[in-house]
Amino acid sequence: MTTDEALRPQSLMLSFLGDQVLGRDVCVYSGSVIDVFGRAGVGEHATRSTLTRMVGRDLLRRQREGRRMYFGLTERSESVLRDGEQRIWEEGAVNRQWDGSWTLLGFSLPESWQRQRHDLRAQLTWSGFGPLFGGLWIAPGEVDVSALVTELGLSAHVKIFRAHADAGMDIGAMIEETWTLGELAVRYEAFVRRWQRWETTEPADDEALALRLRLSTEWLQVVRRDPRLPVKHLPDNWPAEQAEKTFRTVYARLTPLARESAERLLDLVPVRPDV
């Protein structure tokens, strides 16, 4: 199982927790995680380091049972996982429900605030915004970024508006000037190339769990970079629809086998609220 782009162990861990722990009030044994991650191509040292770092970042909680250490979710990781779940299963990759509105965000920061400017731009890109002009960014639909602006301490330097384009506006041209569609299209096309064969290929014993883990992680990384631009203003044959079809088909095909593997490989215990 190789990919064109390395998957970070923490990204894989979050996908694993979303699949196996979220909503179940359970913790998973560290040895089980190491076993599954080994099948996904991640070594024991990297897996243990990831578990430790995620505890330090309040993304995991420890629970000891006898001589074994188990890991469960925190409020913070539950929130992250619910967001990812919504992005994959509810919002999807193809935006056919656009209401014609845009969110505009303008900012003006002192020249010396290079780090703050970089952090704001990175967060805006992650939230689906593109730079219409230098200090004016735009995203399709209604996007609430007030929390991230507050977290960055920039509320006094940012103004947010909702708007509609003038009737004569060439929205398709504006999209092409504002977002790098070519890079996004390449990501969708690469995803299809990597995963399409699993629509018909039967995985080996216990391979399905690791395969589905990589599938979910890769797909979330692709759609997270997609600002969900209105499909009617995107180029013909936009590859997101085919990529999403491949994802859903392979996911559905792997799921029964992955569940069987999980029952054999994973040691789970109920969450103890006193821990």
Side-chain angles (χ1 to χ4, degrees):
M1 290 178 292
T2 60
T3 64
D4 296 340
E5 182 178 2
L7 297 175
R8 293 171 59 233
Q10 180 170 304
S11 299
L12 284 165
M13 190 70 72
L14 287 169
S15 290
F16 173 79
L17 296 167
D19 277 344
Q20 304 300 332
V21 178
L22 182 64
R24 299 177 65 185
D25 289 326
V26 296
C27 296
V28 59
Y29 171 47
S30 60
S32 299
V33 181
I34 290 166
D35 185 358
V36 173
F37 273 53
R39 297 167 191 268
V42 181
E44 179 176 348
H45 177 72
T47 302
R48 289 189 183 277
S49 296
T50 300
L51 290 170
T52 300
R53 284 197 304 272
M54 291 179 70
V55 169
R57 297 181 60 195
D58 192 33
L59 290 168
L60 285 177
R61 62 192 291 276
R62 291 190 178 100
Q63 179 172 310
R64 183 175 290 282
E65 300 287 340
R67 299 178 63 182
R68 291 191 165 190
M69 185 64 74
Y70 293 74
F71 292 85
L73 301 178
T74 63
E75 287 188 11
R76 184 182 179 196
S77 55
E78 282 200 21
S79 175
V80 170
L81 293 174
R82 293 292 183 197
D83 180 70
E85 193 175 58
Q86 178 178 337
R87 188 67 181 86
I88 290 176
W89 299 110
E90 296 180 29
E91 295 178 2
V94 182
N95 184 0
R96 296 188 181 87
Q97 308 300 321
W98 183 57
D99 62 2
S101 70
W102 299 89
T103 299
L104 293 171
L105 182 146
F107 63 89
S108 179
L109 305 181
E111 285 297 321
S112 59
W113 287 19
Q114 294 183 6
R115 180 184 59 80
Q116 291 91 332
R117 185 177 289 103
H118 174 271
D119 290 346
L120 177 59
R121 287 171 172 168
Q123 290 290 337
L124 290 178
T125 299
W126 190 251
S127 300
F129 283 78
L132 189 61
F133 299 107
L136 182 63
W137 288 53
I138 187 169
E142 184 172 333
V143 183
D144 185 359
V145 289
S146 55
L148 78 84
V149 171
T150 300
E151 186 176 337
L152 292 172
L154 298 176
S155 298
H157 302 270
V158 170
K159 302 292 186 290
I160 302 171
F161 303 88
R162 313 288 179 210
H164 285 77
D166 187 80
M169 175 74 181
D170 187 339
I171 294 176
M174 183 272 289
I175 285 175
E176 291 189 5
E177 292 168 2
T178 305
W179 285 274
T180 311
L181 296 182
E183 290 182 8
L184 186 57
V186 165
R187 289 183 182 277
Y188 279 125
E189 291 160 356
F191 181 89
V192 172
R193 285 196 303 273
R194 284 196 295 271
W195 289 101
Q196 202 165 35
R197 73 186 182 96
W198 292 104
E199 293 185 26
T200 54
T201 302
E202 190 75 17
D205 289 346
D206 287 335
E207 187 181 19
L209 184 58
L211 268 176
R212 195 180 70 162
L213 173 59
R214 296 190 73 92
L215 172 76
S216 299
T217 306
E218 284 188 42
W219 181 242
L220 185 56
Q221 287 190 349
V222 174
V223 297
R224 283 286 196 195
R225 291 177 169 89
D226 188 342
R228 298 194 77 245
L229 298 162
V231 68
K232 68 179 182 179
H233 292 296
L234 289 171
D236 293 338
N237 301 316
W238 182 245
E241 186 167 8
Q242 175 59 53
E244 186 164 58
K245 177 178 177 293
T246 294
F247 165 72
R248 290 178 178 267
T249 300
V250 175
Y251 188 93
R253 192 163 188 273
L254 293 175
T255 289
L257 297 170
R259 284 177 177 163
E260 291 176 10
S261 296
E263 289 178 5
R264 289 194 300 272
L265 299 175
L266 301 186
D267 176 6
L268 304 171
V269 296
V271 169
R272 282 193 281 111
D274 58 318
V275 175

